[in-house]
Amino acid sequence: MRQVYYFNMNLFQKGGDLMSIEVSKPDTVEVKSVKAPNTLVMLSAIILILSVLTYIVPAGVFERVVDVETGRTIVVADSYHVVESSPVSVFDVFKAIPKGMGEAGYIIFFLFIIGGAFRILQATGAVDSGIKALVGKLQGKETNLIPVIMIVFALGGAVLGVAEEALAFLPMIVMLSIALGFDSLTGVAIVLIGSAVGYAGAVLNPFTVGVAQGIAGLPLFSGIEYRMICLVIFTFVSIVYVHRYAKKIKDNPELSPMYHEDKNLNLHIGSAESQEFTKKHKMVLGLLVVGVAFIAYGVLNLGFYITELGAIFLIIGIVSGLAGGLSIPDIADEFVWGAKGLLYAGLIVGFARAMLVVMTQGNILDTVINSAGQIIGSLPPSISAISMFIVQSLMNIIIPSGSGQAAVSIPIMAPLADAVGVSRQTAVLAYQFGDAFSNILTPTSGFFIAGISMCGISWQKWAKWLLPLFGIWCIVASVLLYTAVLIDYGPF
């Protein structure tokens, strides 16, 4: 027997039904076969393995300097040198977990705010009544919504660098997905894959291409035309994959890996009087739309990030609650229950960050990066570009931050590209592909693990479902990188 976790946990229910969306507490489900370990157990095992590696892998570091223009700390190429071994002790392993939680606190508390704000929105009745109205209008055309929403998130990733911010929309998209006859996996895929292909295209993404090109000495956002082609190709391939899966699940729900978990959600959009789409509900959802529009403006023009977004969602929750007829004590009560529902997801983020803490403390992170660079340097240009993509994908496991990975890898990859006859623009392209795709597969990616955890999807189920598409992405990325070498993708 095991307990099934799903995205809301207590997010939708507190001592009874809420509106006409009934969400049962986690049921015990009889397991007839050996199941994969809990995500926390898996992450703990990886932390222990990494701590053991600090006793085996030679310690070494690159010199780092602070860029006076951007304030970012970047690696100095060809500065790697061996240092005295600093293995991580058993006590240090346990210390790495609270330290990782502290370093990732901005994401963890952002999740709590999302959970609280969304719970308030749902308590007004606007969410389920709005979903009912939308489902009614989409009868027979449910799958048409998939490409529209995925394109929106793809553009968000490509232009605004939307990643952690997308987590705020997961609960609503998952609820809508189930209500339309798909499953929770489809809802999560629409958001995460949409954002991932946006990062792969990264037309104007300031956090990845903007940082990487600046470090590589390239003109800011140069080569945009080829990246737009990449964005269109990756988005099309991904929409086809998700659309075909969603149609299959709608035709036969029992084929879903999440069939039993979604069934426990017991979500049904019926004809209950409480679900009438009233003017009050429209006003609440209108406030949400205004808030999201302000977020988009702030990210694009005012440099908004997690702190500002958290503040806006707090405002959205409070104002929507008042507009929806909730009292101030009720708003506070709902917020606490909503935040409580994302405790598990927050723990996952902290444990994932602890892995980087262990590698950094043991001084083996730079050793791994330096070794990868030496391997690439011995290959011909066309193979070197593809190898850079592979290395960046693997590097993303230990440095899941896009800008952080650029600060560490691009100072090494840019001069390496010069040495092997690959343009620096191609090296940046390999970096952005590697950062984008593995970021929604590696269990060390905090925002990704938080996303699937808050929606009750185990990493093992997600990985099994995503791997065929991930293979397609790798093939397409390799072809695009090979083409970039042939056309001498530049300016240099």
Side-chain angles (χ1 to χ4, degrees), residues 283-477:
M283 180 170 62
V284 170
L285 293 181
L287 289 170
L288 175 61
V289 171
V290 171
V292 171
F294 184 62
I295 286 173
Y297 175 80
V299 170
L300 190 60
N301 298 289
L302 305 177
F304 282 7
Y305 192 46
I306 295 296
T307 301
E308 291 80 8
L309 267 59
I312 294 172
F313 273 105
L314 274 176
I315 295 171
I316 290 173
I318 295 170
V319 175
S320 297
L322 293 173
L326 300 180
S327 67
I328 292 178
D330 285 341
I331 290 173
D333 198 27
E334 299 297 342
F335 182 86
V336 170
W337 277 89
K340 180 182 176 182
L342 293 182
L343 175 61
Y344 180 71
L347 289 173
I348 292 295
V349 173
F351 272 67
R353 186 56 174 257
M355 287 180 277
L356 181 59
V357 171
V358 168
M359 294 192 71
T360 302
Q361 185 173 338
N363 284 323
I364 63 174
L365 178 62
D366 289 358
T367 300
V368 173
I369 296 170
N370 182 65
S371 300
Q374 290 179 346
I375 294 173
I376 293 173
S378 62
L379 300 172
S382 58
I383 304 300
S384 293
I386 297 173
S387 298
M388 286 179 181
F389 162 60
I390 296 172
V391 167
Q392 295 284 8
S393 297
L394 295 175
M395 196 179 297
N396 208 32
I397 298 174
I398 55 179
I399 312 176
S401 165
S403 55
Q405 187 176 339
V408 172
S409 65
I410 297 301
I412 300 168
M413 295 299 173
L416 186 62
D418 297 338
V420 299
V422 173
S423 70
R424 292 193 171 198
Q425 194 75 275
T426 301
V428 170
L429 190 69
Y431 147 76
Q432 73 184 58
F433 289 171
D435 169 67
F437 300 134
S438 54
N439 232 347
I440 60 167
L441 180 61
T442 171
T444 62
S445 174
F447 95 93
F448 151 64
I449 285 292
I452 62 173
S453 296
M454 69 191 288
C455 299
I457 301 174
S458 70
W459 177 83
Q460 294 81 3
K461 284 188 176 181
W462 172 265
K464 183 179 180 180
W465 179 85
L466 183 68
L467 278 175
L469 177 59
F470 187 82
I472 295 171
W473 281 339
C474 289
I475 293 171
V476 174

Side-chain angles (χ1 to χ4, degrees), residues 70-154:
T70 64
R72 294 188 180 92
T73 301
I74 59 176
V75 166
V76 177
D78 298 325
S79 65
Y80 176 81
H81 57 280
V82 176
V83 297
E84 185 179 352
S85 179
S86 55
V88 177
S89 68
V90 174
F91 187 51
D92 285 336
V93 170
F94 285 96
K95 285 169 59 179
I97 295 174
K99 187 174 181 180
M101 290 180 178
E103 292 182 0
Y106 68 101
I107 297 179
I108 295 173
F109 287 105
F110 180 58
L111 290 175
F112 292 164
I113 290 172
I114 290 172
F118 186 77
R119 173 62 190 253
I120 295 170
L121 282 168
Q122 194 186 17
T124 66
V127 174
D128 53 326
S129 61
I131 288 177
K132 176 196 171 186
L134 184 58
V135 169
K137 292 182 178 180
L138 290 173
Q139 287 292 335
K141 300 178 289 184
E142 294 87 352
T143 55
N144 292 349
L145 199 63
I146 293 175
V148 174
I149 301 179
M150 286 188 70
I151 289 172
V152 169
F153 280 103

Side-chain angles (χ1 to χ4, degrees), residues 177-261:
S177 177
I178 295 174
L180 290 173
F182 309 137
D183 63 357
S184 56
L185 202 154
T186 303
V188 173
I190 289 171
V191 176
L192 294 186
I193 291 178
S195 297
V197 296
Y199 265 71
V203 178
L204 295 171
N205 189 328
F207 304 113
T208 55
V209 169
V211 174
Q213 288 184 332
I215 295 173
L218 291 161
L220 190 60
F221 301 127
S222 57
I224 190 173
E225 298 84 3
Y226 193 68
R227 289 199 302 280
M228 290 180 68
I229 294 173
C230 295
L231 175 63
V232 170
I233 293 173
F234 285 127
T235 303
F236 175 77
V237 168
S238 302
I239 287 175
V240 170
Y241 187 86
V242 176
H243 190 278
R244 290 183 62 184
Y245 170 79
K247 188 175 185 304
K248 180 180 73 173
I249 297 306
K250 186 166 181 63
D251 293 340
N252 189 350
E254 293 186 6
L255 294 177
S256 169
M258 297 299 296
Y259 177 72
H260 294 292
E261 288 87 341

